[in-house]
Amino acid sequence: RGSGTDSGEHVYLGTNVKSDFGDVRFTGTDNTQYSYWIESSDSTSAVIWVKIPSLPAAGTQVYIYWGNSGATSASSGADTFPFFDDFSGTFLHTSKWTNNGATVSVSNGIATISSTSSAYVGIQSNSGTYSAARFRVKTSDSSGKYQYAGLSTRLSGGSDQCILVDNGGNNHEFWTMNSGGYKLSSMGSADSSYHVYDTVRVNTTNVYGSRDGSITSHAQNVPVSTMPVALYNWVGTIQSDWILSRPV
């Protein structure tokens, strides 16, 4: 909201847009309305993801509409991404997740996944495999407790991973792993605050992870294929506000 010069992904809508951005809509050149999801917003700006049917190398045109004060939000993560969960309701959706023994509760849009076992225990998407995940999570930040989030075959007995790791309350780390070994990089000190993370397997030789927009890339121990989305622990608790997969 407000004025400025449009640049790349940043678009200024002036003041004739609702404060919750609920009147914003996106279409193609044929007026087909595109699905979208508002990741976050405040009185001045919003982060919005749009599902575009195809994106050629030369680019494409997308139209943005706003200014209808009677419009209500059409934001839908489920319609926008291949996999999405914002943990609405009061229980874990078993149509989306398989639980291998974790204690899971869902309340006020937050999933809490806990385990006291010295084993990898948590939840994994039960259909589809993906190359990229984005998620907002909070970890235990406790000595001897380890949390994992992102893309992983660990809960189904595999070794391939592109994940965030809370390394026993010491650091948040980005790990890539395959049958030949692993590569890790620090993403900053561990804490008990929510952060937004990305894990992206670009191809068989390049992956990257990010915490709150700070990017780390790896070219070693890249997983050989796509993976399920997963949230799990080796003792401890991880909480998730939302998690999604997206195309690369």
Side-chain angles (χ1 to χ4, degrees):
R1 301 181 83 230
S3 60
T5 302
D6 296 345
S7 176
E9 64 190 26
H10 301 288
V11 180
Y12 292 86
L13 304 183
T15 56
N16 193 30
V17 61
K18 295 181 68 174
S19 59
D20 64 354
F21 296 87
D23 56 332
V24 176
R25 298 292 188 271
F26 302 87
T27 75
T29 55
D30 60 355
N31 278 335
T32 299
Q33 195 165 134
Y34 293 159
S35 301
Y36 71 93
W37 176 62
I38 301 176
E39 177 181 316
S40 60
S41 67
D42 56 30
S43 61
T44 61
S45 64
V47 175
I48 304 177
W49 293 79
V50 183
K51 183 180 181 180
I52 300 172
S54 63
L55 189 59
T60 190
Q61 287 184 310
V62 177
Y63 294 94
I64 307 176
Y65 296 88
W66 68 94
N68 181 355
S69 61
T72 57
S73 178
S75 171
S76 172
D79 290 339
T80 305
F81 301 104
F83 180 90
F84 178 83
D85 202 345
D86 61 359
F87 304 106
S88 58
T90 57
F91 60 90
L92 187 71
H93 293 282
T94 55
S95 61
K96 298 180 180 181
W97 298 100
T98 297
N99 181 352
N100 76 334
T103 299
V104 180
S105 63
V106 178
S107 179
N108 298 318
I110 300 294
T112 302
I113 301 102
S114 300
S115 172
T116 58
S117 300
S118 294
Y120 297 110
V121 177
I123 60 175
Q124 174 181 292
S125 59
N126 58 20
S127 63
T129 58
Y130 311 100
S131 294
R134 183 173 173 88
F135 41 95
R136 185 173 185 263
V137 300
K138 180 171 74 170
T139 59
S140 292
D141 187 28
S142 261
S143 177
K145 298 180 179 181
Y146 303 85
Q147 288 77 55
Y148 307 84
L151 301 169
S152 176
T153 60
R154 176 69 74 182
L155 298 185
S156 51
S159 60
D160 284 358
Q161 301 185 81
C162 291
I163 53 170
L164 152 79
V165 178
D166 182 330
N167 188 10
N170 296 312
N171 293 298
H172 284 168
E173 298 172 345
F174 175 55
W175 286 49
T176 52
M177 185 173 181
N178 58 26
S179 59
Y182 67 90
K183 166 75 175 176
L184 68 87
S185 298
S186 175
M187 303 178 82
S189 298
D191 57 36
S192 56
S193 299
Y194 277 101
H195 297 278
V196 175
Y197 300 88
D198 287 278
T199 60
V200 180
R201 177 185 175 274
V202 179
N203 50 41
T204 57
T205 59
N206 186 26
V207 296
Y208 74 82
S210 72
R211 182 174 85 163
D212 299 329
S214 180
I215 297 173
T216 299
S217 63
H218 286 178
Q220 301 90 9
N221 303 110
V222 177
V224 297
S225 61
T226 57
M227 296 154 282
V229 175
L231 298 161
Y232 58 101
N233 302 281
W234 180 284
V235 185
T237 297
I238 188 168
Q239 293 181 290
S240 180
D241 183 7
W242 47 261
I243 187 166
L244 60 89
S245 71
R246 63 172 181 82
V248 174

